[in-house]
Amino acid sequence: MPMGAIQVKDVPEELHEALRRRALEQGMTMADYVLDLIRRDLGLPSRREWFERLATREPVKLRPGEAAEIVRAERAEREAQISAALGLEGVEDEEDADDAGRG
């Protein structure tokens, strides 16, 4: 299947260098890295699509303070997931128990 080509001119040197470094960090050629960026971007809704989706949603009604509770709960869940992924489950709990025993 024939493939198209894209050429970007007048790329600032610092941007070109940053792209080159990122590609190297990922073990990719710059062409593959830029192609990956394009694929990821096209996988996201455009700004117009995103705003259209938001406009069709029902407003969320929260009681005072509920938003902060939701954010705290989501942060705790995310931190637990990160700890589990890093194999740190229970480490903070043990440290907290040690600290409480010293107090």
Side-chain angles (χ1 to χ4, degrees), residues 10-95:
D10 301 322
V11 176
E13 188 59 37
E14 60 275 3
L15 180 58
H16 186 271
E17 183 59 26
L19 283 169
R20 188 189 68 74
R21 277 194 313 271
R22 287 275 178 97
L24 282 172
E25 288 170 5
Q26 299 295 318
M28 303 169 82
T29 65
M30 190 179 310
D32 287 340
Y33 182 74
V34 171
L35 205 55
D36 187 55
L37 287 175
I38 293 168
R39 282 189 187 104
R40 281 188 280 154
D41 182 71
L42 292 175
L44 299 171
S46 69
R47 232 181 236 141
R48 181 187 49 77
E49 292 168 330
W50 190 72
F51 282 120
E52 286 174 357
R53 287 182 196 174
L54 283 178
T56 63
R57 293 181 58 157
E58 289 292 320
V60 176
K61 294 183 172 67
L62 300 173
R63 62 179 167 68
E66 189 174 4
E69 292 171 14
I70 292 169
V71 169
R72 279 192 289 274
E74 291 295 323
R75 279 187 186 146
E77 182 177 334
R78 185 184 68 227
E79 288 173 6
Q81 290 171 346
I82 292 170
S83 292
L86 295 174
L88 302 175
E89 296 175 80
V91 171
E92 281 187 26
D93 295 336
E94 292 171 12
E95 291 173 359

